[in-house]
Amino acid sequence: MVGANLADELTERGWTRVTVLDQGPIPLTGGSTSHAPGLVFQTNPSKTMTEFAAYTGRKLASLARDGARAFNAVGGLEVATTPERLTELKRRHGFATAWGLEARLVDAAEAKSLHPLIDEKLVLGGLHVPSDGLASSVLAVELLRERAESRGATFLGGTPVTGIERAGGKVTGVRSADTVFPADIVVSAAGFWGPAVGDLIGMTVPLIPLAHQYVTTTPLAELAGHPDQVLGSGNNASLPILRHQDQDLYFRQHGERLGIGSYAHRPIPVGYDEMPAVDRITEHSMPSRLEFTAQDFDQPWKACQQLLPSLHNAAIDDAFNGIFSFTPDGGSLVGESRDLKGFFIAEAVWVTHSAGVAKAVAELLVNGHAETDLHELDLARFEEIQLQPDYVLETSQQNFVEIYDIRHPLEPRQSPRRLRVSPFHQRQVELGAFFLETGGWERPHWHEANASLLQHLPQDWQPPARDAWSAKFDSPIAAAEAHATRTNVAMYDMTALKRLEVSGPGALGLLQRLTTGQLDKSIGSVTYTLMLDEAAGIKSDLTVARITDTLFQIGANGGLDLDYITRQAAGQTEATPQQWVQVRDTTGGTCCIGVWGPHARDLVQPLTPQDLSNEGLKYFRAASTTVAGIPVRLMRLSYVGELGWEIYTSAENGLRLWDALWAAGKPLGVTAAGRSAFNSLRLEKGYRSWGTDMDTEHDPVQAGLGFAVRPNKEGFIGKEALELRSAQPPTTRLRCLTIDDGTSMVLGKEPVFANGQRAGYITSAAFGHTVRKPVAYAWLPAALAENAKVEIEYFGRLITATVAAEPLVDPEMKKIRA
């Protein structure tokens, strides 16, 4: 399904020399496409995945032959049988609205009218999306093949891939037995066989094939007269697709029968040697269709009969365990091999998102960038520890178990944990740190040792009571840690932030080409800058410190930056060897402590020979020196908007550095602070978070980061596109909002309304402890004036907010430059 869509998208863009190979017969190849139930439920917490599903529905709806359509918009209905699920459906309604889908909450009676088979006495309510529907995947593949072939593409079934040809670090072709198909670009869209194809070049593809149960019932009297069942067809259905997530079940109509999918069973990982070998692929015989494990369906079948009482009069007519792909974070995998140029993957993509992902990959190949931001799918998002087999196996199975669970956006995985810890992790444990996890790193969000500080907080700093949802994975202790940062001094663990070193005679030239800022500055300078793509979308924001003439330290956002800069450096070194560049990820071998607050200088200055006065080390300057006799790099910058320094040292010296700073800070009343306070303080200061507040879909002017583009700088990637975009005022901007009632919290991804109409969505939010009210950022019409009133939908309730001038705290930068 992905490969056929990709061939169609590429040939539509003029790339007609396209060959599609499949080990099975086309269109019924025997992979997941061949047995997929074809559900296209669009609503997703991810804007990207919602847009991909919506595009898939629209595209497939345009494909038809002899009255048979490749997509049937029967609608989608999610029902709640518990109060918790009903509340969750209100949140999902917010997602749908935020991303522009027509959706509505319905009561039990209306849910019954939409799907007459349900027992409305069990149902508390539902979420209905009229444009959801059923994809006929096998028919779609056939129609896509015909269209792509009419433009010049070639499809070859029965052609197993046995090798990937290469020369000079570049892909040159694909081997099948004794035949080599020359190619300068290869895309593996092999589904759950993706890891096997990756193994041909030594590339880790982090997904696990897992079995998922699907049954088809005998005919139901209530559905008599509907067309007969057709393989993979959505045309023989009029009932909406139905999800009963409280029991990990979904339902779709097959003529007079119902198809039932169940995740209510143990994870069943499948090895390639466990897949059936078949001489001839048919609807009921294919490698991806395993023997049904009836014992795993006993309890789900009872739950099915409870929700749909007519099933008491039905039996199971056909049943199998079908193989699908699962990944460590549940997301699809898109990207190019780090070691073999021209070899791409587009894996772990379900039918739901197939056309949307294929469109984005085609744009990436043809134009160098995709219209829809891909950072959530990019293979480079995984850290090395997350690519290890044991990690992939455990986390992928856990994602299967939790696929329909109600999960808080901050909810951490329980296992595996403690994979990556800072050198001073034990000190944080001793302070009662509450840890959340990102990229394998344990990151303290607050410290229970600071609970006593709440008793001494000024009354107007006391945090208000929160609703149960926004209070999860948060603590009022964050208010005390924020207060300590604003009024005294606090220490923050910044170790988890990605650190790179770029060095060599070509380092300056490379970074000048990749970034919007002027980096040809004196040694010791630190620059906040952006990386853009060719369309002037923001690929990342960086802090770049010039350590020597040919050595730069970069504060990056993650593995995507490492991957991109490394690729660009390799291309430059290959083209001009005398301008070679080396890129190193130094994160694991170093650590960082942020010391911030009005008394930060009082804490650090006695420990270092470096002059920390304004004259000695100005704002956005760096110095190599010592602190308590420990070699460090000091950078005078602050993500919380207070005076202070990021202090870097090697991992071996990290604990000693923490202890020295802590001991020196004791007389001052130093506080260890966590990410919860950090996020509050950065929002009050108006600092953006890449991937949350902005991404490649936004340009610097829209995002309020025009100051990071150096006027008159030439030759950086995205410059021409930025000039074209800047010639017209942006229609949307990232805007600061404050919540009018001073207490109602939102968390991000909620829809925002202006003048009664959907106007945008929240990116990030936190309680602003300094300004004594919740703060949020949102993408909204640029024409909205300051002080304009908007409304935010939060679990079905409208919260009034005001468009505010930013930053909310210290707009004159007096505190940070003190």
Side-chain angles (χ1 to χ4, degrees):
M1 188 63 157
V2 181
N5 265 295
L6 180 55
D8 180 65
E9 296 285 341
L10 287 171
T11 55
E12 183 183 25
R13 288 164 174 78
W15 282 27
T16 56
R17 298 175 65 186
V18 174
T19 303
V20 181
L21 307 180
D22 202 291
Q23 65 181 345
I26 299 169
L28 191 66
T29 60
S32 298
T33 295
S34 301
H35 65 71
L39 278 64
V40 180
F41 267 105
Q42 300 165 88
T43 305
N44 193 295
S46 164
K47 176 176 174 287
T48 291
M49 300 312 285
T50 299
E51 290 178 354
F52 284 165
Y55 179 80
T56 298
R58 292 195 305 272
K59 178 177 178 178
L60 299 188
S62 70
L63 300 174
R65 183 172 63 191
D66 300 329
R69 293 163 294 167
F71 183 77
N72 184 5
V74 293
L77 177 66
E78 302 174 51
V79 294
T81 58
T82 63
E84 294 79 13
R85 182 66 62 180
L86 184 61
T87 300
E88 170 70 359
L89 292 187
K90 294 177 181 178
R91 184 168 75 117
R92 290 180 60 76
H93 177 267
F95 293 150
T97 305
W99 314 143
L101 289 180
E102 178 191 347
R104 59 196 181 92
L105 295 162
V106 299
D107 60 17
E110 190 168 2
K112 173 77 170 178
S113 71
L114 290 166
H115 200 296
L117 301 187
I118 68 173
D119 182 355
E120 65 181 299
K121 296 190 297 295
L122 288 181
V123 174
L124 303 180
L127 174 65
H128 180 231
V129 180
S131 57
D132 286 346
L134 293 166
S136 301
S137 54
V138 176
L139 174 62
V141 167
E142 183 66 3
L143 295 176
L144 291 164
R145 178 187 66 81
E146 291 176 1
R147 189 158 72 183
E149 286 183 336
S150 73
R151 299 173 181 144
T154 300
F155 280 65
L156 297 174
T159 310
V161 171
T162 58
I164 306 297
E165 302 294 300
R166 74 204 81 176
K170 299 178 181 179
V171 69
T172 59
V174 175
R175 177 177 292 277
S176 179
D178 295 329
T179 302
V180 173
F181 299 87
D184 55 352
I185 293 177
V186 173
V187 182
S188 173
F192 60 75
W193 279 293
V197 177
D199 285 345
L200 296 177
I201 64 166
M203 178 183 183
T204 299
V205 178
L207 69 79
I208 296 295
L210 290 173
H212 160 60
Q213 293 199 307
Y214 193 80
V215 307
T216 306
T217 69
T218 54
L220 302 179
E222 293 84 349
L223 300 179
H226 281 272
D228 290 337
Q229 179 177 350
V230 179
L231 171 64
S233 176
N235 300 312
N236 53 358
S238 58
L239 290 176
I241 47 180
L242 174 67
R243 283 206 282 195
H244 182 21
Q245 289 143 306
D246 287 322
Q247 293 294 333
D248 295 318
L249 295 165
Y250 64 81
F251 307 84
R252 62 147 295 174
Q253 183 182 0
H254 293 285
E256 297 183 344
R257 310 162 190 263
L258 281 185
I260 304 168
S262 171
Y263 294 101
H265 59 83
R266 61 198 166 90
I268 307 174
V270 182
Y272 294 125
D273 58 346
E274 300 174 80
M275 297 177 189
V278 295
D279 296 328
R280 178 174 171 269
I281 293 176
T282 68
E283 177 185 349
H284 296 285
S285 177
M286 60 183 75
S288 60
R289 184 181 162 118
L290 307 182
E291 184 177 346
F292 187 64
T293 52
Q295 69 275 13
D296 289 310
F297 198 67
D298 289 343
Q299 184 56 42
W301 179 238
K302 294 175 183 176
C304 293
Q305 293 174 319
Q306 281 186 312
L307 182 67
L308 308 175
S310 57
L311 291 179
H312 285 288
N313 302 317
I316 297 172
D317 182 55
D318 181 42
F320 63 95
N321 287 6
I323 302 176
F324 287 102
S325 302
F326 282 78
T327 63
D329 61 2
S332 298
L333 307 173
V334 172
E336 186 180 13
S337 165
R338 292 179 180 176
D339 301 315
L340 185 59
K341 287 184 180 179
F343 185 90
F344 292 78
I345 66 169
E347 308 289 21
V349 183
W350 293 6
V351 169
T352 309
H353 308 104
S354 55
V357 170
K359 172 178 176 286
V361 173
E363 291 168 345
L364 187 66
L365 296 177
V366 175
N367 304 324
H369 60 89
E371 291 181 1
T372 303
D373 183 78
L374 292 177
H375 81 269
E376 294 174 335
L377 289 73
D378 198 312
L379 179 64
R381 70 188 184 270
F382 293 110
E383 296 290 328
E384 184 178 4
I385 189 66
Q386 297 172 306
L387 296 174
Q388 303 310 306
D390 289 348
Y391 183 95
V392 175
L393 178 62
E394 179 178 350
T395 56
S396 298
Q397 290 185 87
Q398 192 61 30
N399 278 316
F400 179 93
V401 171
E402 297 174 350
I403 192 165
Y404 282 164
D405 285 4
I406 300 170
R407 293 186 60 80
H408 192 277
L410 292 177
E411 188 166 348
R413 66 173 75 254
Q414 297 303 309
S415 175
R417 291 291 296 269
R418 291 180 57 85
L419 299 176
R420 306 171 82 187
V421 298
S422 69
F424 19 91
H425 176 78
Q426 184 56 39
R427 296 292 184 263
Q428 295 160 350
V429 171
E430 293 163 4
L431 292 169
F434 179 85
F435 293 97
L436 297 181
E437 176 264 351
T438 182
W441 284 103
E442 297 292 330
R443 297 168 64 167
H445 273 242
W446 66 83
H447 303 79
E448 290 295 333
N450 295 327
S452 60
L453 300 179
L454 287 170
Q455 303 171 21
H456 307 291
L457 274 184
Q459 186 59 40
D460 57 1
W461 273 82
Q462 293 290 338
R466 290 191 175 195
D467 66 280
W469 184 253
S470 69
K472 288 186 79 170
F473 307 106
D474 197 69
S475 169
I477 294 172
E481 294 178 0
H483 180 262
T485 310
R486 288 281 189 242
T487 62
N488 188 23
V489 60
M491 290 167 52
Y492 288 80
D493 179 2
M494 306 297 290
T495 301
L497 299 183
K498 180 69 74 176
R499 289 175 295 286
L500 311 176
E501 282 191 352
V502 179
S503 60
L508 175 61
L510 172 72
L511 294 176
Q512 285 283 76
R513 181 168 57 86
L514 299 187
T515 67
T516 61
Q518 177 55 260
L519 303 183
D520 191 5
K521 297 192 285 192
S522 62
I523 293 172
S525 63
V526 182
T527 306
Y528 175 79
T529 187
L530 307 175
M531 291 195 299
L532 307 182
D533 65 17
E534 292 82 352
I538 303 173
K539 285 185 72 74
S540 189
D541 63 340
L542 311 171
T543 55
V544 182
R546 191 168 196 178
I547 308 303
T548 71
D549 282 339
T550 59
L551 172 63
F552 296 81
Q553 178 175 315
I554 297 177
N557 281 298
L560 275 68
D561 294 340
L562 170 63
D563 183 68
Y564 177 66
I565 297 172
T566 300
R567 292 178 191 278
Q568 292 290 327
Q572 175 173 302
T573 300
E574 181 180 334
T576 53
Q578 71 278 11
Q579 289 294 304
W580 63 267
V581 183
Q582 182 184 56
V583 181
R584 290 199 311 131
D585 180 357
T586 62
T587 312
T590 58
C591 59
C592 178
I593 302 171
V595 181
W596 293 310
H599 292 293
R601 185 176 282 117
D602 299 331
L603 193 160
V604 182
Q605 183 65 86
L607 302 178
T608 179
Q610 171 66 43
D611 180 0
L612 297 184
S613 67
N614 278 325
E615 296 73 24
L617 193 63
K618 295 180 180 179
Y619 183 54
F620 263 75
R621 295 288 298 179
S624 296
T625 183
T626 61
V627 169
I630 301 164
V632 300
R633 285 179 187 161
L634 285 174
M635 294 189 196
R636 187 176 171 187
L637 53 149
S638 166
Y639 208 46
V640 299
E642 295 292 334
L643 169 69
W645 298 268
E646 291 180 356
I647 308 177
Y648 300 87
T649 193
S650 61
E652 63 188 347
N653 289 320
L655 180 59
R656 200 165 131 234
L657 176 64
W658 178 279
D659 286 346
L661 291 168
W662 189 257
K666 275 282 193 178
L668 300 171
V670 68
T671 301
R675 297 293 300 182
S676 184
F678 180 91
N679 194 49
S680 169
L681 298 171
R682 71 100 180 166
L683 282 174
E684 290 181 327
K685 191 60 183 165
Y687 292 150
R688 278 66 166 143
S689 174
W690 188 86
T692 302
D693 295 317
M694 75 281 189
D695 52 38
T696 57
E697 295 183 16
H698 311 110
D699 66 44
V701 176
Q702 287 179 297
L705 297 174
F707 66 88
V709 180
R710 182 63 178 254
N712 304 319
K713 182 182 176 182
E714 300 293 336
F716 64 85
I717 294 173
K719 177 178 173 58
E720 293 78 10
L722 182 58
E723 289 176 343
L724 289 174
R725 293 176 71 157
S726 300
Q728 297 293 328
T731 57
T732 60
R733 287 183 183 269
L734 188 62
R735 311 296 297 274
C736 178
L737 303 178
T738 56
I739 307 299
D740 288 356
D741 65 15
T743 58
S744 295
M745 279 301 307
V746 297
L747 297 180
K749 303 186 179 183
E750 296 89 354
V752 183
F753 299 84
N755 302 315
Q757 301 295 316
R758 184 184 70 88
Y761 59 91
I762 300 295
T763 58
S764 52
F767 188 84
H769 298 288
T770 317
V771 298
R772 282 70 157 167
K773 63 181 69 174
V775 178
Y777 273 76
W779 283 100
L780 292 171
L784 273 179
E786 288 180 8
N787 298 317
K789 297 296 182 181
V790 297
E791 292 180 307
I792 306 168
E793 180 186 328
Y794 181 71
F795 289 97
R797 178 169 65 95
L798 292 178
I799 298 170
T800 304
T802 300
V803 179
E806 57 168 336
L808 299 173
V809 170
D810 192 26
E812 298 85 11
M813 301 287 286
K814 291 180 179 178
K815 292 161 65 71
I816 205 167
R817 297 177 184 273

